[in-house]
Structures are given as structure tokens and as C-alpha cells.
Amino acid sequence: MRIAFLNPQGNFDPKDTHLTEHPDFGGQLVYVKQVAIAIAHQGHKVDIITRQIIDSDWPEFAEPFDSYPGVENVRIIRFRAGPKAFIRKELLWPHLVKEWVPNILQFYRQEGAFPDIFTTHYGDGGLAGVLIEAATGIPFTFTGHSLGAQKIDKLELTPQNMESMDRHFHFTRRLVAERLSMNRSAVNITSTQTERFEQYGHRVYQDAVDV
């Protein structure tokens, strides 16, 4: 099979250069890299699709294609989305819809073949999977890694601070993206029973998913 991972935030490079240096470069990237390589070792072809960054502070992410030394069947593919510079994941939403997903669709059409399935990560990757499935019919899996409802609870949003919090974290967009992702995915992937029943079972996701 050819399997494509949709992970627009952070980035991937052969040396894992910036892991843990920014909130967008955390455990999710480690997870995606390890699962992608494990799948490739089984003989499948894997594309890790992320965002191209052309920024002197992040020179490792400028090339459209990359790979891991000694690992066959894994391509890192970077597509433009929004400004050239690095921007945090909370600001990516409009650029995914307007540029990132269209660039992905154009790339595979030009290659002459699409992946058999997409696997999406976090709400932003999930939203991309929803849009690609709508355009192509290709199914996707959704791995949330973390969900916005739990962050809202942890930050203790109130009517007084809700507007300022939403301006920074864009919870409105994130929750819609998560509900669409878990509702439209072929499979929702969770790591623990707690994640499955408590996090996905949160009242915010009622009727979007059957835990």
C-alpha cells in the first residue's frame, strides 16, 4: 500500500533538529515518525506530508522533499501553506483550506496516483483528511493526540476570558475540525481507554463520535 500521513504542524527532518524546542515539535512528531518507519519496514510506501517553511531560523524545512538515512520507502514531502516563515499551529487553519490541501491534491494528480489511505494527526491534519476525502473519496484515519475540549477545561474558560482565549488558541475552529475529523474518519485511533471513553466522550463531541 501507499499510506500518507497528514501532519501540517511542526516539521520533520532527518536529524530531528528542533524536537522539543517549540510546543509544535513535541511527542506527536516522534509518534508519527516511528509509526511511519514501522509501516515502511513492513514493505509499504509512506509519505509524511507536512508544511514547507522557508525561514532562516528553520533552514532544515525549506526543501520540498526529504528522507531518513537508511530508511527505505519513506518520503517527507513539504507543501506551502500561508506565509513562508514558521507560524504556530493555531494560525494554520485558513492556510490548510486555501493552500495546503489544494497543493496536496495537485501533487498526487500530477504523480498520477493517490495514496490508498491517509492517516491524519491532530485536528489540523484531520481537517485536511476531511477535505481530501470529500474531493477524492479516499478514506482516512484520525488520531487526535490531544483534543481541544480538554484544553478548554484545563484553562478554565469563562464568559469573561473566552474571547481572548479564542483569539489565541482558535478553539472554535479546532472543535469544529475535531468533530468533523472523528465523524468522517474510517477509524479513530486512540492510545488508551481513558483517551477513548473520557476524552472522546466529552460532551463537546456528543453525536460526532460513538465511543
Side-chain angles (χ1 to χ4, degrees):
M1 296 178 67
R2 179 175 291 283
I3 302 166
F5 285 68
L6 296 174
N7 196 114
Q9 63 174 275
N11 216 305
F12 300 83
D13 73 289
K15 296 181 179 179
D16 299 326
T17 311
H18 297 285
L19 286 184
T20 76
E21 289 186 9
H22 185 278
D24 292 2
F25 287 78
Q28 178 180 326
L29 301 195
V30 177
Y31 177 101
V32 167
K33 176 186 175 182
Q34 291 183 348
V35 174
I37 290 174
I39 289 173
H41 284 163
Q42 295 182 16
H44 305 290
K45 294 187 180 298
V46 178
D47 292 338
I48 299 176
I49 303 176
T50 190
R51 177 174 171 265
Q52 187 180 38
I53 299 167
I54 302 175
D55 186 330
S56 58
D57 291 333
W58 310 82
E60 299 83 4
F61 310 134
E63 294 299 320
F65 295 97
D66 221 331
S67 61
Y68 292 110
V71 179
E72 295 184 3
N73 295 333
V74 176
R75 296 190 296 182
I76 301 168
I77 309 176
R78 306 185 182 101
F79 293 106
R80 285 288 304 276
K84 292 182 179 180
F86 173 81
I87 57 174
R88 58 187 174 86
K89 62 180 179 289
E90 290 86 0
L91 302 178
L92 284 176
W93 298 107
H95 306 300
L96 301 178
V97 177
K98 295 177 182 178
E99 192 172 2
W100 200 63
V101 167
N103 284 339
I104 293 169
L105 294 171
Q106 181 182 22
F107 171 78
Y108 284 116
R109 286 174 182 141
Q110 290 176 344
E111 275 212 329
F114 276 84
D116 299 293
I117 191 168
F118 289 88
T119 177
T120 73
H121 297 269
Y122 196 77
D124 48 17
L127 177 62
V130 170
L131 296 172
I132 291 172
E133 186 215 24
T136 66
I138 298 170
F140 69 95
T141 70
F142 175 59
T143 305
H145 293 279
S146 67
L147 295 176
Q150 279 69 42
K151 186 152 190 171
I152 289 173
D153 291 344
K154 194 174 293 185
L155 291 173
E156 299 181 352
L157 262 69
T158 66
Q160 290 73 36
N161 67 18
M162 187 176 299
E163 186 177 346
S164 63
M165 288 283 194
D166 194 51
R167 275 200 306 270
H168 181 81
F169 292 107
H170 295 281
F171 284 125
T172 306
R173 293 176 178 180
R174 180 174 176 180
L175 294 178
V176 169
E178 289 170 345
R179 285 180 59 90
L180 283 168
S181 300
M182 59 183 67
N183 184 253
R184 294 298 301 269
S185 64
V187 175
N188 291 296
I189 298 172
T190 59
S191 299
T192 66
Q193 294 288 80
T194 299
E195 182 183 2
R196 175 180 177 181
F197 291 106
E198 294 184 17
Q199 295 186 32
Y200 282 72
H202 194 284
R203 64 187 183 280
V204 165
Y205 307 113
Q206 187 175 357
D207 301 324
V209 65
D210 181 354
V211 298

